[in-house]
Amino acid sequence: MSANSLWLWVLIVTPISLKFPSIFLPLKPVIKPLLGSVILSMGLTLKVSDFKEILSKPKTVLIGLLTQYSVMPLLGWLIATTLYSKLPADFIAGQVLTGACPTGVVSNVYNFLAGANLALSLTLSGINTIVSPFLTPILTKLFAGKVVKVNAINLFLDMIQITLIPVVVGIWVNSKFSQKVEKVKPLLPVYSTIVVVLIVGFVVAAGREKILSLPVKSFELLALGALLHLLFGFWLGYVIPRLLGVPKVERITISIETAMQNSGLATVLAVSHWGALAALPAIFYSVVQNLIGPFVVKLFNWMIKRAGRKPAV
């Protein structure tokens, strides 16, 4: 089981959780701690020294941060209000929240495989996660507050516990005990994949009755919404830095960081604040980004080769 096969495991666990919800429902008390452990594992891949790009390329880092927290929430709102106008308002909230969440943990792997700027990728992932408790609630309130009730304070407190504390602890542990952490790093992607699959199983099981009552068209629109959100995220994450004079390899890095969302975080926050239906956009996004992402990475790898820079693989 690897991060690249996450989409497949999500597709496998979904019908199982619909058929046998009792398998996953007992996970409810530990869903947030489980996700926190995934964010902790992300922190274990980072060191304080990884943030050196802030000093060497502050403009590029700032552009990457602004792209992440402007493009994706706005895209989520535009796509959701266009496609989901006749569907439950929870879908709009879920799509916006998915866009307002920080970068997904797989973005660093994808940047490595693309031959992009891994140091910049690590920096952006770390900063995106650290600032997310402050920006995600505000952006979700701004874009989704008109269709659902958004308690920004509770969302902020949840994210402090689930994201900020675990990632800071992970960075500290990796900085102090790097040799020991190196031994477990190969296991972290597998562990993260297992946890996300379990979270999806719980969400689907918890919302079983509502999910089964939805028309087929709802799922088609959710899939289309996720695909458009991802592809436009990649495109705008590349075009905006290009217009601002960012070099090709760095704008590819920003593009990947922008489009690859932490759908596991969005799933947990959505089901905690609005229910299982609100989590469906994040689940669909998880499947689509892990299915389409590798093909986009291959395209970026080709672009870097064509530009004359030797890729990482």
Side-chain angles (χ1 to χ4, degrees), residues 49 64 276:
S49 58

Side-chain angles (χ1 to χ4, degrees), residues 233-235 237-238 251-260 300:
F234 275 124
W235 181 62
Y238 182 87
R251 59 180 183 254
I252 285 175
T253 304
I254 292 174
S255 173
I256 295 173
E257 290 293 318
T258 299
M260 301 305 295
F300 282 149

Side-chain angles (χ1 to χ4, degrees), residues 63 67 70-71 235-246 251:
I63 290 172
T67 303
S70 60
V71 167
W235 181 62
L236 291 173
Y238 182 87
V239 170
I240 292 175
R242 181 178 183 179
L243 294 175
L244 295 174
V246 176
R251 59 180 183 254

Side-chain angles (χ1 to χ4, degrees), residues 63-122:
I63 290 172
L65 183 63
L66 293 177
T67 303
Q68 168 71 32
Y69 284 109
S70 60
V71 167
M72 296 307 285
L74 181 58
L75 277 176
W77 178 77
L78 289 172
I79 291 169
T81 52
T82 301
L83 296 180
Y84 310 156
S85 58
K86 296 182 181 180
L87 299 178
D90 287 350
F91 286 177
I92 297 177
Q95 198 74 48
V96 168
L97 180 60
T98 300
C101 277
T103 303
V105 293
V106 76
S107 64
N108 304 143
V109 177
Y110 282 180
N111 267 300
F112 172 76
L113 294 175
N117 189 327
L118 185 58
L120 177 61
S121 174
L122 291 169

